[in-house]
Amino acid sequence: KLSDLAQLLSGIRVNESILKNTIASIGFSEDFSSYSREQVLSLARELRIKTKPIIVAANKCDLQESDENIEWLKKEFSYPIVATSGDSELALKRAQEKNLVSYDGRDFAITAQQITPAQKQALEKIRASVLQKFGSTGVTKLLHKTVFELLNLIVVYPVEDEKHFTDHFSNVLPHALLLPKGSNPPDLAALIHSDLAKHFLYAVNARNGMRLAREYELKNNDVIKIVAAK
């Protein structure tokens, strides 16, 4: 039975709805006893694609042989491939923390009055081999593609004061919460606190002051106030 198989797969977050839709999408019968080994593998493959999406971080893109390796990955796999240099991102972040550079994710400017020749040489190497070649270290691009494209999430900012975009401590935009596309204000309320969802009345779009019904579909970068009975 469909429900029995779904129960067996619940540990990897495959529910009956996902299983039913996946079977229908590949044109298989719901009679699992008739499946060949190839059909079982096909179903497993489709379930993996739907529930466990993959993106490849092609790290160390600053190495000499990286171009060839990245091209090979793109030819061999259908997954999204993002060229990254984690070491370069870490080096630039640390240099920024020490006020040596101003870094915006795409390029940097040396801001320190005193910097050693070795430090300057290392930074210029990152600029030439990574930033100018790939446009960035790839780390932010990787996260962006993972969250907003692969996982199909949106970011919403819940606030208590819709006029000033603050919480009750006057912190501006204190939280950024990720929700699946298609989520509604009650979904946001539940993510904040179960009681807020239980007593949900309506929401307010802080950008324009409009009152929102529970059926409103949240948009990326919405700033939302939740109003509850208590």
Side-chain angles (χ1 to χ4, degrees):
K1 290 172 57 178
L2 198 68
S3 57
D4 293 335
L5 182 56
Q7 182 63 36
L8 289 172
L9 298 175
S10 61
I12 57 172
R13 297 187 177 181
V14 174
N15 57 35
E16 191 170 339
S17 175
I18 291 173
L19 184 57
K20 188 179 183 70
N21 290 336
T22 303
I23 290 170
S25 70
I26 55 179
F28 285 2
S29 164
E30 293 185 10
D31 179 12
F32 308 116
S33 64
S34 65
Y35 280 20
S36 65
R37 183 176 184 275
E38 289 71 23
Q39 285 179 304
V40 171
L41 290 174
S42 294
L43 177 59
R45 190 178 300 111
E46 287 299 316
L47 286 171
R48 200 280 305 155
I49 292 171
K50 288 183 180 296
T51 62
K52 303 292 183 290
I54 291 175
I55 187 169
V56 175
N59 200 29
K60 301 186 182 299
C61 66
D62 53 312
L63 299 184
Q64 188 173 359
E65 63 273 17
S66 67
D67 289 352
E68 183 180 341
N69 292 336
I70 291 170
E71 285 306 311
W72 178 84
L73 285 170
K74 289 180 178 179
K75 289 178 182 178
E76 289 293 317
F77 302 102
S78 59
Y79 313 129
I81 311 292
V82 181
T84 62
S85 176
D87 283 345
S88 298
E89 180 73 13
L90 182 60
L92 290 169
K93 288 290 188 182
R94 286 179 172 173
Q96 184 170 245
E97 289 172 0
K98 294 178 181 178
N99 297 316
L100 297 178
V101 302
S102 172
Y103 173 52
D104 65 3
R106 296 177 299 276
D107 199 2
F108 65 87
I110 295 175
T111 55
Q113 292 184 348
Q114 293 185 340
I115 187 169
T116 68
Q119 288 173 324
K120 185 174 182 180
Q121 182 180 6
L123 289 167
E124 290 300 338
K125 183 179 179 182
I126 291 174
R127 173 179 277 149
S129 64
V130 180
L131 301 181
Q132 291 180 346
K133 185 175 181 180
F134 296 99
S136 73
T137 65
V139 174
T140 299
K141 180 180 179 181
L142 175 73
L143 293 172
H144 189 280
K145 286 183 73 69
T146 300
V147 172
F148 298 112
E149 296 180 25
L150 204 64
L151 298 179
N152 211 24
L153 301 176
I154 60 171
V155 61
V156 179
Y157 302 90
V159 296
E160 292 183 58
D161 184 337
E162 72 274 25
K163 294 183 179 179
H164 300 96
F165 291 12
T166 60
D167 61 11
H168 61 280
F169 296 113
S170 296
N171 297 310
V172 178
L173 298 178
H175 303 291
L177 301 182
L178 294 172
L179 297 97
K181 276 188 179 179
S183 294
N184 306 118
D187 299 318
L188 174 63
L191 198 57
I192 299 169
H193 198 285
S194 57
D195 283 346
L196 202 60
K198 183 179 180 181
H199 302 287
F200 176 88
L201 292 177
Y202 61 92
V204 176
N205 184 334
R207 294 187 185 278
N208 55 25
M210 289 185 62
R211 178 168 167 168
L212 306 173
R214 63 172 55 242
E215 295 81 13
Y216 169 79
E217 184 174 321
L218 294 167
K219 306 295 188 300
N220 192 46
N221 289 324
D222 268 352
V223 182
I224 301 293
K225 175 182 179 177
I226 300 295
V227 179
K230 65 175 181 177

